[in-house]
Amino acid sequence: MPGKVEQVMSLQDILIRIRDSVVGSYKADFFDKTTDNADLYGPFWVATTLVFVIAATGNYANYVSYKKKHSAATSTVQVWYSNVDKVGYSAILFYGYVGLVGLMLYACLRWWFKSKVSLAQVWCIYGYALSIFVPISFICILPYEWLRWLLVAIATSTSGLFLLTNFKAPIFDVAGAKALPIYIAVGVAHAALGLVLKLYFFQYWS
């Protein structure tokens, strides 16, 4: 069963949940707040916004880095091309992460350990966890690799802390001695998301 989903979510409710996922990432109360009131509208639009924002800012970041590197080259004509494939890859990355990784965690908890957690709640938490990547992506346009690494690391750590904090009790309460590998897998999967984000969307290679 997907679980109970809140039928009416106001814009203010969604903005509060986005705020809580960022500034309240160290608190474990988001899971309790969404147990009987999980919404998919906010997470869907967070992921959808990221699909286009990351593709656009990733391309522009590449352009800014290109212009910085070739600004002194005047003898030859330099041409930069945008990468429209980033839209498709961004969709695969974020929809796949929330949808598939969330589904795998739900299946593990629900079918192996008989947890009462709902799929809607897992997707809700995973979706809102990505909120911090939206503002960070705009700052990553700046052509400084150290700054991009730092920003992506901060966003990944903050959102990862949000996930681990809110899934700690649901995982350890039902999985017992087998909880640690699952818990670590959640963190590793999220770290991989941040690494892919940096190396593909905010990395200038040529």
Side-chain angles (χ1 to χ4, degrees), residues 83-104:
N83 186 355
V84 296
D85 291 337
K86 285 189 175 182
V87 177
Y89 290 133
S90 181
I92 293 172
L93 179 64
F94 292 111
Y95 290 144
Y97 178 71
V98 174
L100 295 180
V101 175
L103 180 61
M104 287 189 291

Side-chain angles (χ1 to χ4, degrees), residues 73-126:
T74 57
S75 59
T76 59
V77 177
Q78 301 293 334
V79 180
W80 174 85
Y81 297 96
S82 63
N83 186 355
V84 296
D85 291 337
K86 285 189 175 182
V87 177
Y89 290 133
S90 181
I92 293 172
L93 179 64
F94 292 111
Y95 290 144
Y97 178 71
V98 174
L100 295 180
V101 175
L103 180 61
M104 287 189 291
L105 178 60
Y106 165 77
C108 179
L109 295 178
R110 186 81 174 191
W111 296 335
W112 287 358
F113 301 106
K114 309 303 179 184
S115 171
K116 295 182 179 179
V117 65
S118 70
L119 179 58
Q121 186 178 16
V122 173
W123 277 342
C124 178
I125 293 173
Y126 263 98

Side-chain angles (χ1 to χ4, degrees), residues 19 32 40 51 53 71 74 84 91 95 103 105 113 146 165 177 206:
R19 179 203 65 191
D32 295 330
L40 298 180
V51 167
V53 167
S71 58
T74 57
V84 296
Y95 290 144
L103 180 61
L105 178 60
F113 301 106
W146 66 268
T165 301
S206 58

Side-chain angles (χ1 to χ4, degrees), residues 54-182:
I54 291 295
T57 55
N59 265 309
Y60 195 70
N62 185 275
Y63 171 75
V64 171
S65 296
Y66 174 89
K67 292 293 288 184
K68 180 183 178 182
K69 182 176 181 179
H70 297 283
S71 58
T74 57
S75 59
T76 59
V77 177
Q78 301 293 334
V79 180
W80 174 85
Y81 297 96
S82 63
N83 186 355
V84 296
D85 291 337
K86 285 189 175 182
V87 177
Y89 290 133
S90 181
I92 293 172
L93 179 64
F94 292 111
Y95 290 144
Y97 178 71
V98 174
L100 295 180
V101 175
L103 180 61
M104 287 189 291
L105 178 60
Y106 165 77
C108 179
L109 295 178
R110 186 81 174 191
W111 296 335
W112 287 358
F113 301 106
K114 309 303 179 184
S115 171
K116 295 182 179 179
V117 65
S118 70
L119 179 58
Q121 186 178 16
V122 173
W123 277 342
C124 178
I125 293 173
Y126 263 98
Y128 279 113
L130 300 178
S131 300
I132 192 173
F133 287 104
V134 176
I136 288 296
S137 65
F138 287 98
I139 311 177
C140 282
I141 291 175
L142 297 174
Y144 305 105
E145 279 300 294
W146 66 268
L147 180 61
R148 290 174 178 175
W149 275 110
L150 177 62
L151 291 171
V152 173
I154 291 173
T156 304
S157 300
T158 301
S159 52
L161 178 62
F162 173 76
L163 287 176
L164 293 174
T165 301
N166 281 281
F167 282 128
K168 182 178 180 179
I171 292 174
F172 279 86
D173 287 349
V174 298
K178 299 178 180 178
L180 188 58
I182 301 172

